[in-house]
Amino acid sequence: MLNRKQIIDGILPTSAYGYYFRLVEVEDAEFILSLRNNEKLSRHLNPTSNDVEEQINWLKEYKIREKNGKDFYVICLNEDKKTKLGLNRIYNVDGDTFEFGSWLYSPDAGPNVAVLGELFTKGLAFEKLDFKLCKMETKKKNTRVLWYAKSYGPKFTGEDEFNHYFESDYENFLTHRAKYLKLFNLNK
């Protein structure tokens, strides 16, 4: 039986929804920093150093977690396979549960790309990697993402001073995906 890393390697890179998806590589460090240190995008993120070498070292550590099937950092590009648009991550893997996050897209990406990146990444997790449950934490002050998260009816599992916590299963995801693909006039 294939492990999750072998499954990912058999799928990515690939095209979906008019975009190109692959795993993040160390060479993507500058792009990641450009998003994480963008003043508008980073309002609700944990602070990130501007040091490219620190990002490269983090990515090297991530690649070890990726190899062990514990963390998959997906980058979305235009179909030209050159223009980087945004990022999504499957992480905190625990059995058949994963956390979705690191959801960050360039302001130049276009209006629906971030949602399509989310749909692709969650679809990958549920349909190809056989996860059963997705967890997500959303900053309370990030009202736009909080509204979006609530819009597809995930189960609210708690909160702390800064975050709301949600989880959703595959059936919830299917309903969510169908709604947005119909809205965007796209097929699965």
Side-chain angles (χ1 to χ4, degrees), residues 43-178:
R43 286 186 310 222
H44 305 291
L45 300 178
N46 294 325
T48 303
S49 167
N50 284 323
D51 187 338
V52 174
E53 285 304 314
E54 283 184 38
Q55 183 66 47
I56 289 170
N57 289 334
W58 187 93
L59 286 169
K60 287 177 181 177
E61 290 296 316
Y62 146 73
K63 291 307 252 183
I64 293 168
R65 294 189 306 277
E66 175 190 287
K67 184 178 178 180
N68 293 324
K70 298 291 184 184
D71 195 340
F72 300 104
Y73 206 176
V74 178
I75 188 166
C76 174
L77 299 94
N78 269 338
E79 282 196 303
D80 66 7
K81 302 178 185 176
K82 296 175 187 169
T83 307
K84 298 172 185 178
L85 302 173
L87 307 158
N88 298 95
R89 209 162 131 225
I90 297 167
Y91 64 107
N92 287 342
V93 169
D94 184 18
D96 63 359
T97 301
F98 73 98
E99 190 164 343
F100 172 80
S102 300
W103 190 19
L104 200 56
Y105 277 73
S106 167
D108 301 325
N112 303 323
V113 181
V115 172
L116 293 172
E118 176 221 14
L119 297 178
F120 173 80
T121 305
K122 286 183 177 177
L124 180 68
F126 282 120
E127 297 172 344
K128 304 300 183 186
L129 301 178
D130 203 31
F131 287 106
K132 305 296 183 220
L133 191 65
C134 172
K135 294 184 176 185
M136 188 171 165
E137 96 179 34
T138 304
K139 302 281 186 213
K140 289 180 176 180
K141 290 184 178 182
N142 195 348
T143 55
R144 188 171 171 195
V145 171
L146 190 57
W147 173 88
Y148 177 77
K150 289 179 177 180
S151 77
Y152 61 85
K155 179 182 173 187
F156 176 75
T157 59
E159 64 183 290
D160 60 27
E161 182 181 352
F162 302 105
N163 301 301
H164 286 289
Y165 299 93
F166 302 97
E167 60 184 40
S168 59
D169 61 15
Y170 182 55
E171 292 303 316
N172 178 271
F173 168 72
L174 288 175
T175 302
H176 168 62
R177 181 173 64 188

